[in-house]
Amino acid sequence: MDEQFEIVKPRLDVLVDNSISIAHLKQVEIVSSFYNKIIRDKEISEKFELRSFSFGESLNLIIKDSLRFQEHQTNINKALLEVNKTTNQSNSAIVLITDGNQTVGEDYSYFKAEANTSVYPIIVGDTTSSPDLFISNLNVNKYTFLNNEFPVELIINYSGENSMTTTLTVTSEEKVLKSKIIQFNKGESSKVISLNMNAKSIGTHIYKVSLEPISEDKNFNNNIQNFAVEVIDERTSILIVSSVLHPDLGMLKRSIESNPQRKVKISSIEDLDKSQLSEYELVILYQPNNLFKQFFEEIEEKKINNLLITGIQTDWGFLNSLDIFISKAFSNQNQDYQSIYNNSYSQFQFDDIDFNSFPPLEDKFGRLNFKNRNYQTLLFKAIDGIEIQEPLLFTFLSDNQKHGILLGENIWKWRTQSLVKSGDFKAFDTFFGKFVQYLSSTSNKKRLDIEVASSYKQNEDIQFSALYFDKNFQFDAGGELNLKLINNSGEILESAMVLRGNEYVFNASQLPPGAYSLYLNELQSGLSLEKSFTIIEYNVEEQFTSADINRLKKLAHDNLGVAYTTDHYETWKHQLLKEKRFVSVQKSRINIVSLINWKILLTILILSLGIEWFTRKYIGLI
């Protein structure tokens, strides 16, 4: 048995804020000096086992020249948690050198270290609160529709003793679009301002919100915020063609036009101007008869998406004579068909609005025959509550042309039932709106595509994800995707996209502000596409004027520590060294040594076996 002894020092982890806010507050030399004092202090190194880390959005070991104070985000809570996980000693301390201004992550003031681990925040920057007027938050949707108004919500804060008045302005391309006078006083330090802006032209528009600074303001950067909104034109024109008068026609128009971006025209088959068919994204054929023959030929020739609705006045003999997706062995008997929700429909998501309880639709009785089975069912049929294996509402795709079929009239009763049940038409109109949106959409699956937003804020996590499929639309992991970015100054950045799982990715977080054109090419197939995006100038680390002293003091209080400022190095050091919990511990380790060396034992065993073998061989037993 061999007993060995070792001395284990208490651990001291030094965490240094490496973010841009330290440079913005002009504290680089002070922070570097404080850190260097710690690592060069012989008394501290004799008493503690030292580890040094820098942090911004993530935690890193400090190596030579790694403190550059250029991190674009600060996550103090994450840094504390990661260090805390690696601390397996009960008598350790964490020194946190920071201004306390966190930009991402959970609130670090609620962090709780392991038992008997102390946290000593070293407060960097101005600890006194000076008057400041700033935009603390801006909320706006990235997309809006042409000719719509879109809301912009601002949260504006004022820290000061005196009453003051400022002017808020919203500009775009140097033109003032909105202006508003805002007043603050000592008892009113925050205001929520809502503005409605007009979307007058298609494209991505950049806006600047600015507050007129007060005389005592030390930081003008937080008086300004930029944002971008992409205006899109989703206007959809839909044509309903019928040979009969029916309440369903008016219901269809009202339901579809509940979305102001959709316009519906109802036309009889006799008055239809077929030359204007190309103006519509979707055509609804309501209970067709033999007058529709040329009309069917036109929509097939022009590949116009369509919805066929049948009923008791439908000429099924005419439909059967056409070479379309379905036919029906019909009789002159009418039949009521109830609806059964199918939760396996995958073309778009829609909720079950209690379809099973809706009044039945009416159609000619008969069995359906399908040209092929490549269709997807939204609603199944039921007769007297018993489900039959036939669709009531279904869709299919043929040569990039979308088709929908509803086998029954009186759908107006469904919308009325929705009103009776919920007090409005919203549930039904939402369902039918999604159905119409899917049918009217002309977008088809692409072999090469990339996910790019219209705008990003500077220094946020920007990552482009691309998909590449082979000719059978199976994901191809062997693609060679080349990405080229050109900004408005003509500068070019070219890079290969990296395969990660079932997508190709490119990290663009370090791109400077500006407008960019994106060109993506797959080198083997020759497939390519173009997109554009804008990076808006914004640096969250430059929004602060002083240290967050209150949260740092709370962090120290809850974790057996005390907060100090950077000009109290000796006071902090004295407190740290005199703390009785931080003592070295002598640990013993016992090595149990076998009385018989295994190598000797193995040698004896081999010799014994060898002697026995030769003996047996000699006397003839082998």
Side-chain angles (χ1 to χ4, degrees):
M1 184 171 64
D2 180 26
E3 185 173 8
Q4 298 177 347
F5 295 93
E6 62 176 334
I7 303 298
V8 179
K9 297 180 181 179
R11 179 172 290 164
L12 179 64
D13 291 317
V14 183
L15 277 63
V16 183
D17 191 336
N18 198 30
S19 67
I20 288 175
S21 66
I22 299 297
H24 176 66
L25 295 175
K26 298 180 173 58
Q27 298 293 310
V28 170
E29 291 185 7
I30 293 174
V31 169
S32 299
S33 174
F34 198 97
Y35 167 69
N36 288 327
K37 284 181 181 178
I38 294 175
I39 61 173
R40 294 170 183 171
D41 195 304
K42 291 183 178 180
E43 291 182 90
I44 290 178
S45 59
E46 286 176 0
K47 185 177 179 67
F48 292 93
E49 176 193 348
L50 276 172
R51 295 193 307 178
S52 300
F53 302 91
S54 67
F55 66 90
E57 193 169 1
S58 58
L59 187 71
N60 300 286
L61 281 169
I62 294 181
I63 56 177
K64 186 178 180 181
D65 298 328
S66 63
L67 283 178
R68 298 183 179 181
F69 307 99
Q70 294 178 353
E71 296 280 342
H72 295 289
Q73 298 277 11
T74 307
N75 193 334
I76 298 173
N77 188 70
K78 182 180 179 182
L80 290 169
L81 285 172
E82 290 186 3
V83 167
N84 199 44
K85 288 178 184 177
T86 64
T87 301
N88 53 10
Q89 298 170 220
S90 59
N91 55 343
S92 61
I94 298 173
V95 182
L96 181 66
I97 307 174
T98 180
D99 56 16
N101 294 314
Q102 179 169 281
T103 59
V104 292
E106 298 179 9
D107 190 344
Y108 66 86
S109 65
Y110 296 101
F111 168 80
K112 188 64 180 175
E114 295 289 341
N116 297 320
T117 297
S118 299
V119 179
Y120 293 92
I122 306 300
I123 303 171
V124 177
D126 193 352
T127 58
T128 61
S129 179
S130 57
D132 190 24
L133 177 70
F134 59 98
I135 302 170
S136 62
N137 208 347
L138 188 152
N139 298 314
V140 66
N141 289 328
K142 284 189 173 184
Y143 303 93
T144 190
F145 299 122
L146 182 65
N147 297 322
N148 276 11
E149 284 193 339
F150 62 92
V152 179
E153 183 184 74
L154 298 153
I155 301 177
I156 301 173
N157 292 85
Y158 170 64
S159 60
E161 299 291 325
N162 302 321
S163 300
M164 56 80 61
T165 301
T166 186
T167 302
L168 170 71
T169 58
V170 182
T171 60
S172 179
E173 297 179 348
E174 306 301 326
K175 295 179 182 179
V176 177
L177 305 178
K178 293 280 183 179
S179 181
K180 187 179 182 67
I181 295 175
I182 304 172
Q183 294 181 328
F184 286 96
N185 55 55
K186 184 179 179 180
E188 190 177 25
S189 60
S190 181
K191 283 192 174 183
V192 178
I193 306 296
S194 295
L195 303 171
N196 287 321
M197 309 293 296
N198 294 315
K200 295 183 177 180
S201 59
I202 298 173
T204 301
H205 300 273
I206 299 176
Y207 301 86
K208 181 170 75 172
V209 182
S210 57
L211 293 171
E212 182 183 359
I214 57 177
S215 57
E216 302 95 333
D217 228 333
K218 291 184 177 180
N219 185 6
F220 298 148
N221 292 325
N222 57 17
N223 291 43
I224 299 173
Q225 280 210 33
N226 298 306
F227 68 93
V229 173
E230 183 178 3
V231 180
I232 57 180
D233 187 2
E234 196 211 28
R235 289 178 297 184
T236 303
S237 296
I238 297 169
L239 175 65
I240 302 176
V241 183
S242 176
S243 62
V244 299
L245 295 176
H246 198 282
D248 281 352
L249 300 176
M251 184 286 298
L252 290 168
K253 180 177 174 65
R254 286 190 294 273
S255 179
I256 295 170
E257 288 186 343
S258 63
N259 183 334
Q261 293 296 313
R262 300 190 181 114
K263 297 299 178 186
V264 176
K265 179 182 178 181
I266 300 177
S267 176
S268 68
I269 187 64
E270 294 89 348
D271 301 331
L272 179 65
D273 183 357
K274 299 180 181 62
S275 66
Q276 297 180 349
L277 282 180
S278 299
E279 298 177 3
Y280 300 97
E281 284 77 29
L282 176 66
V283 173
I284 300 176
L285 303 94
Y286 189 81
Q287 304 219 40
N289 55 25
N290 59 358
L291 296 177
F292 280 70
K293 186 175 189 310
Q294 187 179 357
F295 183 54
F296 268 94
E297 294 172 354
E298 289 281 342
I299 63 173
E300 285 299 315
E301 180 184 344
K302 296 178 179 178
K303 299 298 180 185
I304 300 173
N305 297 338
N306 57 85
L307 169 62
L308 170 64
I309 301 177
T310 66
I312 61 175
Q313 300 181 70
T314 301
D315 187 345
W316 271 104
F318 162 70
L319 289 180
N320 289 343
S321 70
L322 301 175
D323 185 22
I324 60 173
F325 188 74
I326 62 168
S327 61
K328 188 173 189 177
F330 67 98
S331 70
N332 289 325
Q333 179 184 348
N334 297 336
Q335 178 66 54
D336 288 340
Y337 294 105
Q338 297 161 304
S339 56
I340 304 293
Y341 173 71
N342 178 22
N343 60 7
S344 299
Y345 184 77
S346 62
Q347 295 302 307
F348 63 90
Q349 297 296 317
F350 68 100
D351 297 324
D352 183 1
I353 54 176
D354 202 13
F355 288 103
N356 298 13
S357 69
F358 279 7
L361 303 183
E362 197 172 5
D363 198 10
K364 295 287 186 181
F365 179 77
R367 178 168 292 278
L368 294 172
N369 297 304
F370 296 90
K371 193 173 182 180
N372 63 59
R373 291 282 170 177
N374 293 326
Y375 63 88
Q376 293 206 31
T377 302
L378 289 84
L379 302 172
F380 285 103
K381 287 180 179 178
I383 299 177
D384 296 328
I386 300 174
E387 182 179 341
I388 61 176
Q389 294 302 309
E390 281 190 0
L392 179 67
L393 177 64
F394 62 99
T395 62
F396 62 95
L397 186 66
S398 174
D399 294 330
N400 293 327
Q401 183 182 11
K402 292 179 181 176
H403 304 265
I405 298 181
L406 174 63
L407 297 167
E409 63 178 71
N410 295 328
I411 192 175
W412 67 268
K413 294 181 180 180
W414 287 11
R415 193 169 189 256
T416 303
Q417 175 74 8
S418 178
L419 174 65
V420 172
K421 183 178 179 180
S422 58
D424 56 37
F425 301 112
K426 185 176 180 181
F428 177 84
D429 288 346
T430 299
F431 155 70
F432 203 73
K434 288 182 177 181
F435 182 52
V436 167
Q437 181 182 14
Y438 165 71
L439 287 178
S440 59
S441 171
T442 56
S443 61
N444 300 313
K445 191 171 184 180
K446 302 174 183 177
R447 287 184 57 197
L448 180 65
D449 200 8
I450 187 167
E451 185 178 341
V452 178
S454 61
S455 63
Y456 302 91
K457 280 189 174 180
Q458 181 186 7
N459 300 324
E460 74 171 287
D461 186 19
I462 304 173
Q463 183 166 277
F464 303 144
S465 301
L467 295 174
Y468 172 56
F469 301 95
D470 60 22
K471 292 182 179 180
N472 295 319
F473 283 97
Q474 300 296 316
F475 179 78
D476 190 342
E480 296 181 31
L481 273 62
N482 186 71
L483 185 72
K484 181 190 291 185
L485 300 173
I486 304 177
N487 66 12
N488 46 5
S489 300
E491 297 175 329
I492 299 175
L493 171 64
E494 198 163 356
S495 174
M497 297 194 74
V498 179
L499 179 66
R500 190 185 66 187
N502 286 335
E503 62 181 1
Y504 294 86
V505 298
F506 175 77
N507 191 299
S509 300
Q510 301 302 319
L511 290 177
Y516 289 83
S517 297
L518 179 151
Y519 302 90
L520 180 64
N521 295 281
E522 202 291 307
L523 301 181
Q524 298 179 40
S525 64
L527 296 173
S528 63
L529 58 81
E530 299 178 17
K531 291 197 176 183
S532 61
F533 63 94
T534 303
I535 297 180
I536 304 165
E537 186 174 0
Y538 178 70
N539 195 328
V540 66
E541 292 287 342
E542 294 182 356
Q543 304 299 304
F544 308 105
T545 58
S546 58
D548 194 338
I549 186 171
N550 293 326
R551 284 203 291 176
L552 289 173
K553 284 185 174 180
K554 181 181 184 302
L555 175 68
H557 179 269
D558 293 346
N559 291 278
L560 306 173
V562 180
Y564 296 90
T565 58
T566 51
D567 54 355
H568 287 84
Y569 176 82
E570 293 298 332
T571 307
W572 163 77
K573 173 185 168 181
H574 177 73
Q575 173 67 31
L576 188 70
L577 293 177
K578 78 171 186 177
E579 179 60 57
K580 294 181 180 179
R581 288 187 298 108
F582 302 135
V583 294
S584 299
V585 177
Q586 179 177 277
K587 290 186 176 181
S588 63
R589 183 170 58 193
I590 298 176
N591 294 325
I592 299 176
V593 181
S594 176
L595 293 175
I596 303 176
N597 190 294
W598 68 271
K599 292 181 181 179
I600 297 174
L601 185 62
L602 180 61
T603 302
I604 294 173
L605 180 61
I606 292 171
L607 288 174
S608 300
L609 292 172
I611 293 170
E612 181 182 2
W613 187 86
F614 280 110
T615 303
R616 288 175 175 271
K617 182 75 172 174
Y618 181 76
I619 62 178
L621 295 177
I622 296 178

